[in-house]
């Protein structure tokens, strides 16, 4: 005796879009993680380098989603690219720093000195680009 009607109009479109976006978010994060691991293994030929790149990526993803929950921002069509961009930028900086550090370590410097020199070499550029991109996202 009941008739179920499909949602129509903007409410129906929003509901269907939210379902697809939720699935796309999980798939996107898994693909990003897999790509980072694969490219780190190819580039650095070290599983340790892959772990060093993947741990900050995972932490960033969790913190991003936690911040979105605290601010009441849902994962929508408009926010999905921002999430992907934010995660990608963090990994980009980590890999840039890691590649310079590994070059110093392969040249014979101990870990502490290699890291210090890598930060001295890349720190200003990473900070400048990070602040510039953060200003764009905040506005």
């Amino acid at each position: 005796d009941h008739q179920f009607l499909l949602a129509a109009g903007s409410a129906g479109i929003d509901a269907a879009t939210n379902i697809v976006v939720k699935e796309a978010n999980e798939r996107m994060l898994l693909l990003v993680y897999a790509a980072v691991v694969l490219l780190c293994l190819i580039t650095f030929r070290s599983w340790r380098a892959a772990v060093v790149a993947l741990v900050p990526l995972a932490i960033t993803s969790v913190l991003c989603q936690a911040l979105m929950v605290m601010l009441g921002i849902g994962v929508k069509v408009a926010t999905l690219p921002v999430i992907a961009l934010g995660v990608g930028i963090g990994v980009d900086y980590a890999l840039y720093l890691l590649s310079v550090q590994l070059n110093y370590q392969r040249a014979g410097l101990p870990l502490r000195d290699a890291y210090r020199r890598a930060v001295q070499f890349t720190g200003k550029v990473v900070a400048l680009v990070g602040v510039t991109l953060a200003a764009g996202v905040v506005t």
Side-chain angles (χ1 to χ4, degrees), residues 5-116:
L5 300 175
L6 298 176
S10 62
I13 293 171
D14 284 345
T17 302
N18 289 340
I19 292 168
V20 172
V21 167
K22 181 181 177 186
E23 293 171 1
N25 183 38
E26 294 168 3
R27 188 177 325 123
M28 174 202 63
L29 287 175
L30 288 174
L31 289 173
V32 167
Y33 292 166
V36 167
V37 168
L38 179 66
L39 292 173
C40 281
L41 290 173
I42 291 170
T43 303
F44 300 119
R45 294 182 181 93
S46 168
W47 65 269
R48 290 179 183 101
V51 170
V52 166
L54 193 63
V55 168
L57 173 62
I59 292 171
T60 302
S61 299
V62 170
L63 290 177
C64 177
Q65 291 183 3
L67 179 64
M68 289 178 69
V69 168
M70 283 178 42
L71 296 175
I73 300 171
V75 178
K76 308 271 186 227
V77 173
T79 59
L80 189 61
V82 176
I83 295 168
L85 180 66
V87 169
I89 289 170
V91 170
D92 183 40
Y93 294 150
L95 294 178
Y96 182 42
L97 181 64
L98 181 64
S99 64
V100 173
Q101 177 185 331
L102 287 175
N103 282 336
Y104 283 127
Q105 283 184 272
R106 288 180 181 140
L109 286 163
L111 176 63
R112 174 181 238 150
D113 294 337
Y115 181 73
R116 185 175 40 79

